[in-house]
Amino acid sequence: MTDLGCKVKNCAHHSKDNLCCRENIKVGGSSATDCCSTCCSSYEKNNGTKVTNSTDYSSGNKMLNISCDVVNCRYNEDYNCKAGHIDVKPSKNSTHGVTECATFEMR
């Protein structure tokens, strides 16, 4: 499991404490060469209804299972993220989505 910080406040899964209410997420961007070419594939735009986790409706999960398609990332091991901590943040590159994994490091 990986410690996750999320600053994507317009995501339906975002919690007030900058965590994620999901039990797992997927990071996408199979041919990424930088952070802007990655994305949180689990992102869902908040349309006014917040999603909560199954165990605690008031806060997010600090530790998550993170699957990862970014084969060029040094933290990717067998399509799982092995970083101790990652940050997901809004992206300015709308080609790859509205989010990015700020922890991406090229192998």
Side-chain angles (χ1 to χ4, degrees):
M1 295 184 96
T2 300
D3 179 46
L4 173 90
C6 180
K7 296 189 171 133
V8 185
K9 295 183 179 184
N10 69 340
C11 179
H13 306 290
H14 183 267
S15 69
K16 294 177 189 174
D17 44 2
N18 287 328
L19 299 174
C20 183
C21 290
R22 292 178 57 96
E23 292 179 9
N24 55 61
I25 66 165
K26 182 175 185 178
V27 175
S30 59
S31 59
T33 56
D34 57 25
C35 292
C36 293
S37 302
T38 66
C39 68
C40 177
S41 299
S42 302
Y43 167 83
E44 292 181 56
K45 185 174 181 177
N46 180 1
N47 293 319
T49 305
K50 284 285 194 178
V51 176
T52 58
N53 68 31
S54 61
T55 57
D56 182 350
Y57 294 111
S58 62
S59 64
N61 295 311
K62 186 158 177 65
M63 302 297 287
L64 301 173
N65 289 314
I66 300 174
S67 62
C68 182
D69 286 343
V70 188
V71 294
N72 295 329
C73 181
R74 69 176 285 215
Y75 300 112
N76 183 323
E77 291 181 21
D78 296 322
Y79 296 95
N80 291 293
C81 180
K82 297 300 181 183
H85 173 87
I86 74 164
D87 287 305
V88 175
K89 68 177 191 172
S91 180
K92 294 178 182 163
N93 183 347
S94 60
T95 303
H96 298 283
V98 297
T99 63
E100 67 182 57
C101 176
T103 308
F104 169 87
E105 286 185 32
M106 191 75 167
R107 287 189 192 268

